[in-house]
Amino acid sequence: EAFLPAPWKASDVAQGVIVIGLVGLAAVLFTLIARPTLGLDPDWVALVATALLGVAMVLVAWRLGPGRYRLPISHLGLRLPRGRSKALLPWLVLLASLAFTNLSLSLVNLAGIQGLLPPPLPPALGLEHGGRVAGFLLAVVWGPFSEEVFFRGFVLPGLWGRLGFVGAAGASSLLFGLAHGVPGVMIPAFVTGLLLAWLYRRTRSIWSCTLAHSAQNGIAFAIGLR
């Protein structure tokens, strides 16, 4: 079965991006005001806000995608990968993404542009025990899954019919990069988004993309624990 391009339209995608943008802005504002006004731990607030943003991504992707057009949720890519090389491709994408990220980081260090160095991941690394477990689950499990459902399962197929694969991959990857919000992460995230878009086209499965995404975040998480 081929569900690409998707039945939902670019206008549906635009609505979804606006909603998630507003939810993300609300999450940032809540994170900034929670500590001085409510006395809450900022790391835990950031974790909860990010987790809820992921929930919003999944709900919006379903509601404006398959839900609006009365289609099975499998249209968001929630199906088994296809193709003979389905087991190998996520790891090839991971290696390519890591290679570009390391090259980008090396060039930034060589140029001495400190403002483009990525921040540590995730925000809960300063917490002990439960905070690290929660940070791991968010960074390596829930975060990659919710982002792949939204950007590759919803945005990419929704723009495909109007822009073609190349245009849709570029636009969805640009949004994916901007969603990371940090200048030092945006360009590597954009390239990773392009690789994941290609992977989704080849396998028709969000699970393949989530595997590659989770593995990369897991490596970053492990480095941050040192």
Side-chain angles (χ1 to χ4, degrees), residues 51-85:
L52 292 177
L53 179 59
V55 172
M57 285 184 175
V58 174
L59 291 178
V60 167
W62 174 81
R63 180 63 185 87
L64 297 179
R68 172 171 284 182
Y69 292 86
R70 299 184 179 182
L71 299 169
I73 197 170
S74 59
H75 278 66
L76 286 174
L78 296 171
R79 53 190 177 271
L80 294 177
R82 74 173 194 177
R84 296 180 180 179
S85 56

Side-chain angles (χ1 to χ4, degrees), residues 16-32 46 49-50 52-54 56-57 60 178-179 181:
V17 170
I18 291 172
V19 170
I20 292 303
L22 293 175
V23 173
L25 178 60
V28 171
L29 293 176
F30 177 71
T31 302
L32 293 175
T50 305
L52 292 177
L53 179 59
M57 285 184 175
V60 167
L178 293 174

Side-chain angles (χ1 to χ4, degrees), residues 5 8-11 157-165 167-168:
W8 51 90
K9 304 175 180 64
S11 58
L159 297 178
W160 193 317
R162 186 178 183 89
L163 303 178
F165 172 72

Side-chain angles (χ1 to χ4, degrees), residues 142-225:
W142 177 244
F145 171 74
S146 59
E147 290 178 5
E148 291 310 313
V149 166
F150 186 77
F151 289 104
R152 255 62 66 181
F154 172 66
V155 175
L156 172 64
L159 297 178
W160 193 317
R162 186 178 183 89
L163 303 178
F165 172 72
V166 174
S172 61
S173 299
L174 178 61
L175 292 171
F176 181 64
L178 293 174
H180 285 75
V182 180
V185 179
M186 288 180 183
I187 294 179
F190 171 75
V191 174
T192 298
L194 292 176
L195 291 168
L196 291 170
W198 173 83
L199 179 61
Y200 186 51
R201 184 182 188 183
R202 287 293 301 271
T203 65
R204 299 295 199 269
S205 174
I206 284 303
W207 300 118
S208 297
C209 300
T210 300
L211 175 59
H213 193 158
S214 296
Q216 182 157 353
N217 282 14
I219 293 171
F221 188 92
I223 293 174
L225 287 176

Side-chain angles (χ1 to χ4, degrees), residues 75-98:
H75 278 66
L76 286 174
L78 296 171
R79 53 190 177 271
L80 294 177
R82 74 173 194 177
R84 296 180 180 179
S85 56
K86 60 186 178 182
L88 178 62
L89 291 181
W91 304 109
L92 292 178
V93 166
L94 172 65
L95 290 176
S97 179
L98 289 175

Side-chain angles (χ1 to χ4, degrees), residues 46-47 102 107 141 155 180 224:
L47 279 176
N102 288 330
L107 292 176
V141 181
V155 175
H180 285 75

